[in-house]
Amino acid sequence: MIRKKAVNAEFGSNCYLLGDMLSGDAILIDPSVGPEDIADISEGFDVLAIVVTHSHFDHILHLREAVALTHAPVMVGAGDAVGIQDPAVNLSIYLGRPVASDPPDRLLAEGDVISVGRWEFHVLETPGHSPGSITLVCPSAKVIITGDTLFAESIGRTDLPGGNEEELARSIRRIVCLGDDFRVLPGHGPEAFIWEMKEINPFL
């Protein structure tokens, strides 16, 4: 699997491109970076979908530009669909920089599968940080994309509107139980294997 990352310098949010070199297909996850960076990491790939792990503003800052650049459909968990459209829900209004996009093209739910060439990404509903937070799991590549649910050395906040500490704890347990040899690609910060996180993450 091809993995590329660009980071929003202001908020530290990660944008990923995950692709299949043989087919040239890819998905773009959390378009937090500008169109130049998106064009750079997606060069040579056909972006089949833009997947939003959750709708907080720092993960959808450049969603409109990403759609214009790739013409790919937008996919998000049902519980966060309103967030990509409403600056009050995605919290951007409180920064004085409202972010709003069109309604998503597809609502993702537990058990959905997104196929990208040889790779299949399975959707887990992992609420807690936000009501509609999702995690993508690619079993064959041993890769997990967690958004802001789980980081290498920390976990997602639950003090924002829609956060729920008990739900987050259940979601994290589901992720950790996938296996020590899975590599986590979080919404902020560096990637890490589950086994590494058990050693360095005090919340685990």
Side-chain angles (χ1 to χ4, degrees):
M1 177 186 293
I2 299 297
R3 300 198 311 271
K4 296 185 179 182
K5 182 175 80 171
V7 182
N8 179 285
E10 184 176 5
F11 299 105
S13 41
N14 296 329
C15 172
Y16 296 100
L17 182 112
L18 304 179
D20 179 4
M21 181 62 77
L22 291 180
S23 68
D25 295 334
I27 55 174
L28 184 71
I29 301 172
D30 290 352
S32 60
V33 297
E36 290 186 3
D37 286 328
I38 292 173
D40 181 55
I41 64 174
S42 62
E43 184 177 2
F45 288 92
D46 180 17
V47 177
L48 302 181
I50 300 169
V51 181
V52 176
T53 62
H54 65 292
S55 63
H56 289 159
F57 72 91
D58 54 328
H59 293 261
I60 60 168
L61 277 170
H62 297 282
L63 179 55
R64 280 190 174 276
E65 294 98 319
V67 171
L69 185 66
T70 65
H71 307 289
V74 175
M75 304 181 183
V76 64
D80 272 26
V82 174
I84 68 171
Q85 306 168 65
D86 188 337
V89 176
N90 66 43
L91 309 178
S92 61
I93 195 169
Y94 302 107
L95 293 180
R97 296 158 53 184
V99 175
S101 297
D102 294 330
D105 299 287
R106 178 181 172 185
L107 299 180
L108 296 172
E110 180 80 20
D112 285 348
V113 177
I114 304 169
S115 296
V116 182
R118 295 167 291 166
W119 311 110
E120 288 188 345
F121 294 88
H122 299 252
V123 176
L124 299 183
E125 293 181 357
T126 48
H129 179 64
S130 73
S133 287
I134 60 166
T135 290
L136 297 180
V137 181
C138 183
S140 55
K142 299 287 187 179
V143 168
I144 311 171
I145 301 92
T146 57
D148 282 5
T149 298
L150 179 63
F151 309 118
E153 299 184 51
S154 188
I155 61 176
R157 297 174 60 174
T158 57
D159 59 336
L160 299 173
N164 185 295
E165 187 174 348
E166 292 184 1
E167 287 188 337
L168 183 69
R170 285 194 293 269
S171 295
I172 290 171
R173 284 195 293 269
R174 293 190 69 195
I175 294 170
V176 172
C177 287
L178 289 170
D180 287 352
D181 57 343
F182 275 82
R183 182 187 297 271
V184 171
L185 279 58
H188 297 266
E191 59 187 63
F193 287 103
I194 293 291
W195 70 263
E196 292 178 300
M197 299 171 78
K198 288 180 177 179
E199 296 184 358
I200 65 175
N201 190 325
F203 295 94
L204 301 185

